[in-house]
Structures are given as C-alpha cells and as structure tokens.
Amino acid sequence: MMTSSKDLKRTANFFSREISRLVDRPLRLMEVCGTHTVAIFKSGIRQLLPLEVELVSGPGCPVCVTSNAYLDTAIAYSRQDDVIITTFGDMLRVPGSSSSLSVQKAKGADIRIVYSPLESLDIAAANTTKKVIFLAVGFETTAPTAAATVLAAADAGVDNFYVLSAHKLVPPALRALCSNDVHLDGLLLPGHVSAIIGEMPYQFLAGDFAVPAVIAGFEALDILQAVYMLVKQIAAGKAEIENQYRRIARSEGNPDACMVMKQVYEVEDTVWRGLGVISGSGLRVNGKYRRFDATSNLTVEVEPTVEPCGCLCGEVLRGVVKPVDCSLFGEACRPEQPIGSCMVSLEGACAAWYRYGSGRWPI
Ligand code: SF4
C-alpha cells in the first residue's frame, strides 16, 4: 500500500513532537554512519529536532577513516611500472602525504576505477604480465564481496591479483570511541553494516558503557524514528540495543556473508584516522589465501607519513569538533580542493556540511 506524502508528514510531525516532549536536557547523539550524515542534511532532520538534541557525525565513512599510511602505500605501488591499481572512485582524490592517486593517474600510473572488486579479476586476466592490486577499503558491508573475489581468484587460478586491505570493523571502533573522553548520550548505528553483522556485536555498548543505541535505516522517517527510540530510552533511563531497520537488518545479520569474510580474512589491529590503532578492528587476508595479500608478496618503499597541517579530520571523526570548527573549512579546504579525507568522500562530514549548509556556509 502506498503511503501518501500527507501521511509521511503526519508521522514526521508525530516523531518530532514526541522527541520535543521527551527531551528535558541537552543530548549528544552520534550518527555513526556517513550515509546517515548525508541523509540528515539532505532531509532537514535537524530542523525537526529541539535545540537540545545535537547530532554529531562519527567514524562511519570508510574513505575518511582510511589512514594516510595506507594511501601512501597504494600510491607507492601505483608508481611501479608492472602494477595496475583498481579502486572505487572516491579513493582517487584523497590526499596522501605528498600525492594522491588522481595525481599519480594524471602522471601516467595505471589506476582504474571499478564498481565491484570482481572487475579486478577481469583486468588481471586481460593483463597477465601486470600485478593487479585492488584497494579493499570499507567496513563489514564491502568486505564480503572482496573476500568472495579472493575465493573466485583462487578458484580460477588467477596469480596476478592482490588485495591491499584496509577493511575495518565497526564495533571495535565504537568501543574505542566510548572508552575515550567523548561524551555521547546515544548512537544511531549503521543500517548497512548491521545487515551483515546483526545486533549481537553491539551489545557491549549497553552492557559495558550504558550507552543506548538504535540500528537505523536511511530514509528520513527511519532516522527520525530512530532518534525518537533513542530519546525514549534515555527518558526512561534505559540503555538497550534496538533495531529500527528490521526490514533489512535481521537480528542475526547475514551469516553467509559473515562466513565468506571469515573464510578469507583474519582480524588484526589497524590504524583509523583520528582514532589511532584499534585492537582487533582490521581485516587482512589470512594464511590460506596469503598469496593474494599485496603487502605480504609485493615489496614497495613507502614514504614517511605526513598528516595535513591544520586538518581536524581526526577530531571530526571522533565527534569532538564540528567541520566548521576547522579553520580550513570552506576556505583552503573545499570539495574541489580537499585537504583532508572528510572533505573528499560524499559521505564525509566536512563535505556534507559544505554541500548542504551548516548555517555558516549556506548552499
Ligand atoms: S575542513 Fe578539510 S582540513 Fe578541516 S577537518 Fe575537514 S577535511 Fe580536514
């Protein structure tokens, strides 16, 4: 049955009124996921919330949290004549320590944009004298497809395909976030990641930190309802993991996708921009499939990492500051001339604040 725009408006007004009724003190709620950040800006949800409710962006944009050291490694590989780099498009313009993949591409490096990791296998098959390195960046949402590509490479006997993994796991990052001094009253959890891992991996938020959290979908009403569910928990003094996005994210997640991930990857400590090294938060190709792991098989000299001067991406990703608190925002740093990763990706908090307006920088 179709829902009329009048019904949608009525429902949005109901959530908005109820949130205002329940809130009796300032609340800091974090939307962990970059897709939520963009949806919140696009739909004008902030205007429907009382001033006491502050929504802050979190570390859920995979490109944003990928470290400079990883980028520098990818750039170093791209300088080798016998290497083809395959990557999703949004990695191209992220500045590394002294260059970016787009600059290297303009200089002649063979860097190709793919829309699925599997395309890398076709490229490898068509270029047998080259080493094809796929930049595997993303959370639990994209790791299963990259893992399936490794399995397909093994099945097909492809021996010139490699993965440079920067895959990251969201729950350990949330634990790290809650363990430091950032005050958060509640979390909106990423719907896509939750569709893979389910509800269980988040239980520590309620148990260890007494932080309520709600898995949320991506429509404006999904997000508004999830905020309402959070505010209701807070008003009742509860801290539970709830799921607003049951139509897609089942409580048990997607066991098949998790199985494929486990078949190919092992957990390792890894570096997050802004959060530093987080124990058990990264994925690397495991021993059985190590021949597909770029860093284990292909030597490369990587320049020392230099972080962009004045960039507050780390603080933005921890919810410590807003993008507009960075002195470079909108002046030296803009989407067409980004200094930090949060201004590059469409899901980056700085890019969202810039594109959709924050009061200080109207559209
Ligand atoms: S505005 Fe630019 S330089 Fe400042 S934190 Fe954001 S990405 Fe970094």
Side-chain angles (χ1 to χ4, degrees):
M1 196 174 68
M2 292 275 286
T3 311
S4 73
S5 63
K6 218 169 161 185
D7 288 340
L8 293 176
K9 210 169 159 193
R10 199 176 298 134
T11 310
N13 284 338
F14 167 78
F15 288 138
S16 172
R17 259 197 326 273
E18 282 300 294
I19 292 167
S20 296
R21 186 180 66 77
L22 289 165
V23 170
D24 61 359
R25 63 182 170 87
L27 296 178
R28 289 192 93 226
L29 309 180
M30 173 177 277
E31 85 271 0
V32 173
C33 174
T35 313
H36 280 150
T37 300
V38 174
I40 286 166
F41 274 107
K42 272 186 167 172
S43 59
I45 283 177
R46 279 194 168 80
Q47 282 83 337
L48 293 174
L49 299 177
L51 288 175
E52 290 89 343
V53 176
E54 184 189 5
L55 292 177
V56 294
S57 304
C61 156
V63 170
C64 305
V65 295
T66 298
S67 70
N68 256 16
Y70 176 88
L71 270 155
D72 292 341
T73 305
I75 289 165
Y77 277 129
S78 79
R79 289 178 173 136
Q80 298 182 346
D81 288 339
D82 60 347
V83 164
I84 298 173
I85 297 285
T86 59
T87 177
F88 297 132
D90 47 4
M91 285 295 289
L92 272 192
R93 291 190 323 116
V94 184
S97 294
S98 66
S99 186
S100 68
L101 290 167
S102 64
V103 168
Q104 293 310 123
K105 189 171 164 61
K107 285 181 177 172
D110 196 342
I111 299 171
R112 306 187 190 184
I113 293 174
V114 291
Y115 296 94
S116 155
L118 280 166
E119 285 177 51
S120 309
L121 291 190
D122 295 335
I123 294 170
N127 295 274
T128 50
T129 59
K130 302 273 183 153
K131 294 158 185 144
V132 176
I133 303 177
F134 172 64
L135 305 188
V137 171
F139 300 126
E140 292 91 334
T141 330
T142 48
T145 327
T149 305
V150 170
L151 294 178
D155 276 353
V158 177
D159 62 3
N160 62 332
F161 167 74
Y162 302 89
V163 167
L164 183 60
S165 177
H167 280 309
K168 292 182 169 48
L169 303 172
V170 168
L174 298 182
R175 180 178 283 283
L177 205 62
C178 291
S179 301
N180 71 26
D181 55 0
V182 182
H183 173 75
L184 296 170
D185 294 291
L187 295 171
L188 293 174
L189 298 172
H192 294 144
V193 166
S194 307
I196 304 295
I197 65 174
E199 299 169 11
M200 188 58 80
Y202 301 118
Q203 293 302 330
F204 71 91
L205 291 167
D208 297 352
F209 299 100
V211 174
V214 176
I215 295 167
F218 299 97
E219 301 295 329
L221 271 187
D222 287 329
I223 298 170
L224 206 52
Q225 184 179 19
V227 171
Y228 166 62
M229 291 163 77
L230 269 182
V231 167
K232 219 161 84 167
Q233 281 200 53
I234 294 165
K238 289 183 180 171
E240 294 170 358
I241 307 305
E242 291 187 287
N243 188 351
Q244 181 280 332
Y245 199 39
R246 278 181 204 284
R247 66 182 187 277
I248 302 290
R250 291 173 296 169
S251 65
E252 72 277 20
N254 182 334
D256 291 342
C258 292
M259 181 100 74
V260 172
M261 251 194 301
K262 277 195 187 128
Q263 247 179 292
V264 172
Y265 287 121
E266 63 191 17
V267 171
E268 65 171 356
D269 301 347
T270 198
V271 182
W272 293 59
R273 192 187 296 266
L275 294 167
V277 176
I278 301 178
S279 169
S281 70
L283 295 174
R284 72 177 296 211
V285 179
N286 65 24
K288 185 170 177 194
Y289 296 101
R290 191 64 44 85
R291 66 186 187 279
F292 296 106
D293 182 57
T295 47
S296 303
N297 294 286
L298 309 173
T299 51
V300 68
E301 203 151 313
V302 183
E303 65 189 296
T305 299
V306 179
E307 298 299 337
C309 185
C311 171
L312 299 183
C313 274
E315 288 79 357
V316 169
L317 291 163
R318 292 202 312 276
V320 177
V321 302
K322 295 188 182 75
V324 287
D325 296 326
C326 175
S327 62
L328 307 177
F329 178 88
E331 303 282 352
C333 183
R334 303 185 303 279
E336 65 276 15
Q337 185 191 309
I339 289 177
S341 59
C342 296
M343 192 58 96
V344 178
S345 170
L346 286 178
E347 296 190 348
C350 297
W353 278 72
Y354 186 88
R355 287 202 165 88
Y356 300 110
S358 61
R360 187 173 150 198
W361 299 98
I363 310 167

